[in-house]
Amino acid sequence: MSTVVRGIRGATTVERDEQDHVTERVQELVRIVFEKNDLQADDVISILFTATSDISSKYPASAARVLGLDTVPLIGAQELDVDDMLPLCIRLLAHVNTERPRADIQHVFLHNARALRADLAD
């Protein structure tokens, strides 16, 4: 099979907006996305991170950069502030080169973010 570009979704939540805790949760999310999809840094085209407005202590992309993603374009944005949104939530959309068919992509939803996509959460 040839290599194609796929999108991988993921999300996590934090219990509190503290730098170390945000860093821990972002790194956990990125590591699990990589493990479940057999990815290396060279496979990643880019990653978009969003965070809800109640997270301001740490930029999620900077928490991920130290995982060997120093040459991968990473960007962050604030999640839309809508009614009934999941609080203290960080999401990612990774664009990757992979040989996996779309059906074999493993999206990752951790902690309270499992509620966002219960159909995809472990």
Side-chain angles (χ1 to χ4, degrees):
M1 179 175 190
S2 62
T3 300
V4 296
V5 176
R6 299 271 185 233
I8 302 175
R9 285 288 321 276
T12 191
T13 55
V14 296
E15 280 83 35
R16 58 198 177 281
D17 181 26
E18 295 174 357
Q19 285 188 13
D20 290 344
H21 185 54
V22 171
T23 296
E24 173 187 313
R25 290 292 174 90
V26 168
Q27 290 178 356
E28 174 189 39
L29 177 61
V30 171
R31 281 188 189 109
I32 292 173
V33 166
F34 274 50
E35 288 169 11
K36 286 188 172 276
N37 293 283
D38 298 316
L39 296 172
Q40 303 297 319
D42 285 344
D43 300 323
V44 181
I45 298 167
S46 64
I47 302 176
L48 168 66
F49 290 92
T50 64
T52 51
S53 61
D54 48 8
I55 298 174
S56 61
S57 66
K58 181 76 174 183
Y59 188 58
S62 65
R65 184 149 316 280
V66 299
L67 295 175
L69 301 175
D70 52 315
T71 61
V72 175
L74 306 176
I75 192 165
Q78 186 173 348
E79 190 70 34
L80 291 174
D81 193 14
V82 297
D83 295 339
D84 298 325
M85 69 186 306
L86 182 63
L88 296 168
C89 185
I90 299 164
R91 302 173 195 233
L92 72 74
L93 174 60
H95 301 95
V96 303
N97 291 309
T98 183
E99 293 182 359
R100 287 179 177 228
R102 186 183 310 268
D104 291 345
I105 294 296
Q106 298 292 307
H107 305 280
V108 177
F109 294 84
L110 304 173
H111 307 287
N112 291 340
R114 289 182 171 112
L116 295 172
R117 290 297 306 264
D119 58 321
L120 297 177
D122 286 339

